[in-house]
Amino acid sequence: MDVVTEDISGFFDLNISSSTQSDTTLQNVLDRAAMLGYTTVAVNVTADLDKLETVTSKKKKMRKAAPSAEEAAALTDGFPDPGAITFTAPVCPRTGRRMRVLKRVTLEFTGQGDLSRIGRSTNLKKFDLLAVQPTTQAAFNVACQTLSVDIICVDPASFRGFMLNRKLAGLAARRGVVVELVYAPALSAGSVRRQLLLTALTLTNITNGKNMIISSGACHEHQLRGPHDVPYVAELMGLSPAAAKASVSTLAKSTVIHAVGRNRTGFCMAQLLPDSGESRPGSAGVTPAKKRKTAAC
């Protein structure tokens, strides 16, 4: 991940779908995001972990029939390849600088597959952000407790019946993993909008409105809302004004820094260190007491 964390600032939308609608393109959506004032966005590709074909099964099929050179070259670990996502980072009119565009993968899973594949995958390590979307209670528990990811994306349709308690929410927060809700699907269907609000209120009651980011999940440029409008949507979901603003700024920034740590070292700092300020040699900008409180996941 070629991300300079000291240079990350502004507003974030960490979920723009790479599967755009037929009458638009991914580039149109990115251009719209830059015009609205976003400085960092993430292009998301979604895959079903339970349906992904493993390399072993691919090799078995290739042994039965002689593969072509193209098929042999295309043999991967079964996960999406971030190199297939192409775009040109647009210039933000308000800053005059190019918008930072990250690549993200979201894995839907039920919790019954081989989760060790996530850590072994070469393709997944090429993505800037790693998210999961649990579809069962067991998967949600595993995501909060043990999975080394950056984001837990909550689908209101699958969230029905989930038992969420403060202990689970606290485990995810201490490991630096944030919970994400997307608003784009709720812009058109009333039933989806009601389910989203119910899910959001459930989450905010358990988490006290902390550790939650709000993303668009947009697959069309008209589904994007400006970074000054999204906090009002977040307040409708039960977040406080401060938490609503943080969901598209400081908390989203912490998520990106968390991903940098996970990709580079295998560990991630659950505490966002200050960007500036005088620090003594070896203190990394924090006092020894704060160092002891910093959690690694």
Side-chain angles (χ1 to χ4, degrees):
M1 175 193 285
D2 298 326
V3 177
V4 182
T5 55
E6 291 82 0
D7 194 33
I8 298 178
S9 61
F11 297 106
F12 298 72
D13 186 342
L14 298 184
N15 191 344
I16 290 180
S17 177
S18 61
S19 302
T20 56
Q21 296 180 2
S22 57
D23 58 342
T24 190
T25 64
L26 175 60
Q27 192 62 52
N28 294 144
V29 181
L30 295 178
D31 292 343
R32 175 69 175 173
M35 188 184 70
L36 289 174
Y38 289 100
T39 55
T40 302
V41 300
V43 177
N44 178 51
V45 56
T46 302
D48 190 333
L49 181 61
D50 301 325
K51 295 180 180 179
L52 287 176
E53 191 175 26
T54 63
V55 174
T56 303
S57 61
K58 284 186 176 182
K59 287 181 177 178
K60 288 180 179 179
K61 291 181 179 179
M62 291 172 67
R63 290 194 194 105
K64 295 180 181 178
S68 64
E70 291 78 8
E71 291 174 336
L75 183 64
T76 65
D77 55 13
F79 288 94
D81 183 1
I85 306 174
T86 57
F87 52 80
T88 300
V91 176
C92 301
R94 299 182 184 181
T95 63
R97 302 172 61 183
R98 287 199 176 274
M99 184 172 66
R100 179 181 288 103
V101 184
L102 309 177
K103 294 183 180 181
R104 160 184 164 173
V105 61
T106 300
L107 301 175
E108 300 176 358
F109 76 111
T110 60
Q112 298 180 356
D114 182 10
L115 299 180
S116 63
R117 294 172 57 197
I118 296 178
R120 297 195 308 264
S121 171
T122 303
N123 279 352
L124 291 187
K125 294 177 182 178
K126 299 176 184 177
F127 281 96
D128 300 311
L129 291 165
L130 177 57
V132 291
Q133 183 173 305
T135 57
T136 63
Q137 179 71 58
F140 189 81
N141 294 347
V142 170
C144 290
Q145 294 171 350
T146 60
L147 281 186
S148 179
V149 297
D150 308 309
I151 300 170
I152 299 175
C153 183
V154 174
D155 178 19
S158 302
F159 193 73
R160 289 183 180 182
F162 281 17
M163 296 297 294
L164 179 64
N165 53 51
R166 294 184 186 276
K167 182 178 179 180
L168 276 178
L171 283 172
R174 284 194 294 273
R175 298 195 303 116
V177 182
V178 298
V179 177
E180 177 191 59
L181 287 171
V182 298
Y183 61 81
L187 295 178
S188 56
S191 58
V192 178
R193 188 180 307 116
R194 287 191 295 271
Q195 188 60 45
L196 174 64
L197 291 177
L198 288 174
T199 301
L201 290 174
T202 301
L203 288 171
T204 52
N205 286 335
I206 296 298
T207 63
N208 294 324
K210 300 177 181 178
N211 206 46
M212 290 178 60
I213 63 172
I214 309 298
S215 304
S216 66
C219 56
H220 194 284
E221 55 194 292
H222 299 309
Q223 292 178 327
L224 283 171
R225 295 296 181 267
H228 297 288
D229 297 327
V230 174
Y232 292 107
V233 177
E235 288 185 44
L236 290 176
M237 296 179 179
L239 274 67
S240 66
K245 292 179 181 178
S247 68
V248 293
S249 55
T250 56
L251 184 56
K253 175 181 177 178
S254 297
T255 304
V256 175
I257 294 177
H258 177 278
V260 173
R262 177 184 54 78
N263 280 328
R264 290 181 178 174
T265 65
F267 293 90
C268 43
M269 304 306 291
Q271 180 185 27
L272 176 59
L273 302 181
D275 290 329
S276 60
E278 296 295 330
S279 60
R280 291 171 296 179
S283 66
V286 292
T287 63
K290 288 184 179 179
K291 277 188 176 182
R292 289 194 294 271
K293 293 181 181 179
T294 301
C297 59

